[in-house]
Amino acid sequence: MSNVMAIVRRDIVRLLRVPAAWVVLFGIIFIPPLYAWFNIAGFWNPYGNTSGIEVVVVNNDRGTDSQAIGKMDMGDQIIKQLKDNDKLGWKFADKPEAMQRVESGKSYAAIIIPKDFSDRVAGVIEGRSARPTLEYYVNEKANALASRMTDTGASTVDSQVNETFVSTVSKVVSGIVNKTDADISAKADTTTANTLADLDKVQRSVTDIRGNIADLTTTLNGVPSKTKATRDTLNKTQKAGTQASKQLNDASTAITNAQNTLNDFTNNAGGTLDQSSNLLSQASSQSNVAINSIAAGLTKANGDEGSALSTAQQINTDTGSLINQLEAAGVPGSADAIAKLKAQNASLADSIKTIADLNTNLGATTTSTVSAANGINTSTQSALGNAASARKTITAGALPQLNNGLNGFSSLAATSSANLASQGSLIAQSTLVLNQLDQAATTAAKTLVGTDKGLASLQTHLSTLTTDIAALSSSSALGSSEILAKSIGGDGKLDAAKIADFMLSPTVLDTKVVYPVSTYGSGMAPLFTNLTLWVGAFMLVVLMKLEVDDEGLENEPTPGQRYWGRWILFALIASLQAIVTVLGELVIGVQCHNVPVFIITAMLASMVYVSITYALSTSFMHVGKALCVALVIIQIPGSSGMYPIEMMPKFFRDMYPYFPFTYSINALRETIAGFYHADWFVNMGKLMIFAVLFFILGLAVKPHMGNLQRLVDRQLKASDIITSEPALHKVREYPISQALSMLANKEEYRSGIEGRARKFALLYPKLMRGALAFGIAVPAAMAITFSLTTGTKVIALAAWVIWFLVMIVFLVGVESIRDSLARQVRLGNLDDDAVRALLYERQRPHRKPETKTLLNNAEGGDRQ
């Protein structure tokens, strides 16, 4: 560290003792800040001087006389308003002069109002023409930003036209509204009264419907009790039919026995005939009793079922009437309830139809049963008559006739028994239908309950609506509105000017700036400050020596000590540049939230930029200096110093995090406008990473670039035009391995290295010609390729830069190989003592710089 500080002290003394160095040092410190000062002052308030941007306005409008809006000349109105507008330098001329001024660049733009402009505006209001058009001519060649400013001027004219149009339309509409206001007010009271009457009528209808629903609900609730009685009667009838069927079967059995007895009667005719007549009489009596009981049950069931049918039909009729009333009332929100009632009523109608059919069949069965009883009675009487006659005419075929009568009676009894059996299924069907009727009545009752609730809610809303309308009709609702109240003039009519003002700006934008910046110049200060600091750092590596000599030093410094000694000197001068820059900006009036942090930020950024430029320049010499220029060029659009990075092409958006300007600009913005959390520390921490990386580059690469630096310096000196600076630190011109190989077998080493040198000498011209050909052909091919594609400008520039670096690396590599072979050939020409002296010199510690090394002596003798 002592050597480092000794180098710094020695160099400072050198600068201070030479007056001419003071002038150079003064220029290095004060000239770069001029860039920031002048640019910040120039950009201080550029949008406040737009009155010098000349825009020519041509008014060819002839005006119009419209029935709706009367006489109007919008061209003259626009000209009058523009004369009071100082945002741009408005000039008024005819069309030929305007076009001449725009084409010559004397004016940046021209706006032409056509002849039929007012007439087309009136046509838009009356609905007879398309939108009017203004002609706008702009000279973009004159100035890129000026064309954007004149666009603002065109927008201003368009905005004024819109204001005039809105004002005119508002005046026309206000006149129409004021003219019809009396009619509207007169009709409003009538409409309100009619509305209240209709609402009252609807309320009464809803009340009546709710009463009908209550009655129908009561009827439906009584249906289950009636259907229960009918089911009980049917069950009794079914039991009686079963009993009668059994009795008829018994009668049929008795007849069969009678027939058997009659067959026996053939032999015992007299007594047997009397016995048969008695049995027949008994069977007939039992049959008549059973059939009469069945007929009575069927008749009662038929009557009960008819009563239930009448009740169901009455319910169906009442429900249909209720549906018609609901539909006639037109009650809002009752559509779902009406649909449900219709579905239930249709289901009830189907059930009624089924019950009616069953009732008809039951009546027919009753009639058939009575007919069967009569038939049995007739047959019995006929059989008894035949039996009586048989007593007299027993031999005249009476017994066969009696037998036929018994057969007929037996057949009729079987038929009656079958009919009675079939009534069981009919009764079961009737019971099922009655169950369905119960379910339909219950569902209909529930639906009616829901409908009644909906109607009750509707009735409440109707009552509220009636109250609100009555209240509105008795108050000045229109006058209570703040916006409309402001739109009514002193005569109680609409004020067209107030309405137009509201229509042009119905809302007010309340702007609240977060981290306000007083001027545009203060906003641009971070960019210009960083450019100044970078230019200052670059001036240091261009105007001052990069190599550190040994003069005045007690011990020979190492490459690392040389690097740190020169960097500290550069950092001190760069810090002075930063201090002068920011103090000058504060004098100009740049806004600053925290002055000490503002100065510290600039100083640290300046030191980082010195680290970058010094590392590149001392390691890669002229190529490194070219890279410093390339870096500052690419960082201007890529660090969001002027435009938001989101507006930049994708290449710059991707590279944005890798530029030191990005973090230095953001840190300076924090000091100018205000701090947000730890953003300043984050940005400065990321900026320091660049310093560390380039320190590593300079300290690691610099010691190994001595031979290359000497090669470049020697060739630049040969040009006698380009300045160069020789490397002063010691380098190993001959590797130890080569020196040992040479000592081991000098002749073999010399013949081998000379052979490789001759081969490379033959290849060298071809490599250089190839590099020249590819150096021209590849960029040309890339230019043609990228010219045929769109959106690849930045990619093309990046590709050319990369190719440029590739060619530099290739040429440097070729020259390095050539120089290495030349040094190896020189090594082969040294005697053994000289080679041993070189090896011994490398093992000795650093000595005072006044002592010359054998290496320098050997090189001097070789060059002589």
Side-chain angles (χ1 to χ4, degrees), residues 5-73:
M5 298 311 299
I7 294 172
V8 174
R9 286 193 298 268
R10 183 202 64 183
D11 291 342
I12 293 176
V13 171
R14 284 177 174 179
L15 290 172
L16 294 178
R17 73 186 181 188
V18 180
W22 299 355
V23 177
V24 175
L25 190 61
F26 181 86
I28 291 175
I29 294 174
F30 283 91
I31 289 178
L34 293 176
Y35 176 82
W37 298 342
F38 278 98
N39 277 280
I40 291 173
F43 282 89
W44 194 255
N45 187 19
Y47 297 105
N49 303 317
T50 57
S51 58
I53 305 289
E54 185 174 294
V55 178
V56 187
V57 181
V58 179
N59 180 21
N60 293 329
D61 189 17
R62 296 177 299 190
T64 186
D65 189 358
S66 172
Q67 182 178 359
I69 62 177
K71 292 184 178 181
M72 180 182 68
D73 192 335

Side-chain angles (χ1 to χ4, degrees), residues 93-106:
D94 56 14
K95 185 172 182 178
E97 181 183 355
M99 296 306 299
Q100 187 273 331
R101 295 186 70 84
V102 172
E103 291 173 357
S104 64
K106 295 179 180 178

Side-chain angles (χ1 to χ4, degrees), residues 388-454:
S389 299
R391 284 183 172 272
K392 298 179 179 179
T393 57
I394 195 167
T395 56
L399 292 176
Q401 293 178 1
L402 179 59
N403 193 36
N404 290 334
L406 291 172
N407 287 334
F409 181 80
S410 177
S411 176
L412 184 59
T415 301
S416 298
S417 178
N419 288 336
L420 290 173
S422 65
Q423 296 311 306
S425 61
L426 291 176
I427 291 171
Q429 292 178 5
S430 298
T431 302
L432 179 60
V433 171
L434 290 173
N435 292 334
Q436 293 175 352
L437 180 61
D438 281 348
Q439 184 177 2
T442 302
T443 304
K446 291 180 180 179
T447 303
L448 289 175
V449 171
T451 302
D452 184 67
K453 290 182 180 179

Side-chain angles (χ1 to χ4, degrees), residues 40 44 518-519 521-523 525 584-592 598 672:
I40 291 173
W44 194 255
S518 58
T519 61
S522 297
E585 291 174 358
L586 293 175
V587 172
I588 293 173
V590 171
Q591 175 183 323
C592 186
F598 185 37
I672 289 174

Side-chain angles (χ1 to χ4, degrees), residues 300-630:
K300 186 175 186 305
N302 193 19
D304 292 340
E305 191 167 356
S307 177
L309 179 62
S310 298
T311 301
Q313 288 174 340
Q314 182 62 39
I315 291 171
N316 185 254
T317 303
D318 292 343
T319 304
S321 177
L322 176 61
I323 292 171
N324 293 332
Q325 289 178 1
L326 289 174
E327 291 179 338
V331 178
S334 60
D336 294 340
I338 292 173
K340 292 181 179 180
L341 286 174
K342 283 185 177 182
Q344 295 295 335
N345 205 34
S347 176
L348 181 61
D350 294 338
S351 300
I352 289 171
K353 183 178 179 182
T354 303
I355 293 173
D357 293 339
L358 291 174
N359 196 37
T360 302
N361 293 334
L362 187 59
T365 302
T366 303
T367 304
S368 175
T369 303
V370 173
S371 298
N374 292 332
I376 291 173
N377 188 46
T378 302
S379 299
T380 302
Q381 294 300 325
S382 176
L384 290 174
N386 290 333
S389 299
R391 284 183 172 272
K392 298 179 179 179
T393 57
I394 195 167
T395 56
L399 292 176
Q401 293 178 1
L402 179 59
N403 193 36
N404 290 334
L406 291 172
N407 287 334
F409 181 80
S410 177
S411 176
L412 184 59
T415 301
S416 298
S417 178
N419 288 336
L420 290 173
S422 65
Q423 296 311 306
S425 61
L426 291 176
I427 291 171
Q429 292 178 5
S430 298
T431 302
L432 179 60
V433 171
L434 290 173
N435 292 334
Q436 293 175 352
L437 180 61
D438 281 348
Q439 184 177 2
T442 302
T443 304
K446 291 180 180 179
T447 303
L448 289 175
V449 171
T451 302
D452 184 67
K453 290 182 180 179
L455 290 175
S457 177
L458 176 63
Q459 197 170 21
T460 302
H461 288 303
L462 289 174
S463 177
T464 304
L465 181 60
T466 302
T467 303
D468 292 343
I469 292 177
L472 287 173
S473 64
S474 61
S475 64
S476 179
L478 181 63
S480 64
S481 174
E482 181 181 354
I483 296 176
L484 291 177
K486 292 181 179 180
S487 302
I488 297 176
D491 57 356
K493 295 184 178 181
L494 294 177
D495 190 332
K498 293 180 179 180
I499 292 177
D501 182 65
F502 173 75
M503 293 178 67
L504 287 172
S505 182
T507 59
V508 178
L509 182 63
D510 185 10
T511 303
K512 296 182 180 180
V513 180
V514 181
Y515 300 113
V517 178
S518 58
T519 61
Y520 191 76
S522 297
M524 295 296 296
L527 173 63
F528 294 133
T529 302
N530 275 276
L531 287 173
T532 294
L533 300 179
W534 187 280
V535 170
F538 184 70
M539 287 182 64
L540 288 173
V541 298
V542 170
L543 297 179
M544 300 186 71
K545 288 185 176 182
L546 302 179
E547 295 296 326
V548 178
D549 61 84
D550 301 337
E551 182 182 349
L553 301 177
E554 183 179 355
N555 297 315
E556 182 181 357
T558 63
Q561 292 172 344
R562 294 174 189 268
Y563 186 92
W564 281 112
R566 186 49 45 91
W567 180 87
I568 291 175
L569 177 64
F570 284 176
L572 292 174
I573 299 174
S575 298
L576 293 176
Q577 290 176 340
I579 293 172
V580 171
T581 300
V582 296
L583 290 178
E585 291 174 358
L586 293 175
V587 172
I588 293 173
V590 171
Q591 175 183 323
C592 186
H593 181 76
N594 190 308
V595 174
V597 180
F598 185 37
I599 298 174
I600 292 173
T601 303
M603 292 176 62
L604 292 176
S606 184
M607 293 179 186
V608 172
Y609 297 157
V610 166
S611 302
I612 296 173
T613 55
Y614 180 58
L616 291 174
S617 300
T618 193
S619 298
F620 306 112
M621 296 156 295
H622 291 71
V623 175
K625 295 174 182 178
L627 289 176
C628 293
V629 176

Side-chain angles (χ1 to χ4, degrees), residues 154-320:
S155 301
T156 300
V157 175
D158 184 62
S159 178
Q160 291 177 347
V161 171
N162 291 335
E163 291 177 8
T164 305
F165 177 77
V166 171
S167 177
T168 304
V169 172
S170 300
K171 189 179 297 182
V172 173
V173 172
S174 299
I176 296 173
V177 170
N178 289 330
K179 183 178 179 182
T180 58
D181 180 63
D183 295 336
I184 293 174
S185 298
K187 292 180 180 179
D189 294 337
T190 303
T191 302
T192 301
N194 292 336
T195 302
L196 291 173
D198 291 339
L199 289 173
D200 184 66
K201 182 179 178 181
V202 171
Q203 283 184 295
R204 290 197 301 271
S205 298
V206 171
T207 301
D208 294 339
I209 292 171
R210 291 189 66 195
N212 293 333
I213 288 175
D215 296 338
L216 183 58
T217 302
T218 302
T219 304
L220 289 172
N221 290 333
V223 168
S225 60
K226 294 182 179 181
T227 55
K228 182 176 181 303
T230 303
R231 279 195 294 271
D232 292 341
T233 303
L234 289 175
N235 290 334
K236 292 178 181 179
T237 303
Q238 188 174 18
K239 291 179 181 179
T242 301
Q243 185 177 0
S245 177
K246 181 178 179 182
Q247 290 176 352
L248 286 173
N249 288 331
D250 293 341
S252 177
T253 301
I255 291 171
T256 300
N257 293 331
Q259 285 180 320
N260 292 332
T261 302
L262 184 61
N263 291 330
D264 294 336
F265 182 73
T266 304
N267 298 320
N268 302 297
T272 304
L273 185 59
D274 291 337
Q275 185 179 0
S276 297
S277 296
N278 292 332
L279 292 174
L280 179 60
S281 178
Q282 292 175 1
S284 175
S285 176
Q286 293 176 354
S287 298
N288 284 331
V289 171
I291 290 174
N292 288 332
S293 176
I294 293 170
L298 290 175
T299 300
K300 186 175 186 305
N302 193 19
D304 292 340
E305 191 167 356
S307 177
L309 179 62
S310 298
T311 301
Q313 288 174 340
Q314 182 62 39
I315 291 171
N316 185 254
T317 303
D318 292 343
T319 304

Side-chain angles (χ1 to χ4, degrees), residues 833-851:
D833 293 336
V835 174
R836 292 189 183 94
L838 291 174
L839 293 176
Y840 174 73
E841 179 67 20
R842 291 186 180 181
Q843 303 302 321
R844 295 179 63 186
H846 294 296
R847 295 174 291 120
K848 292 184 179 181
E850 288 78 10
T851 305

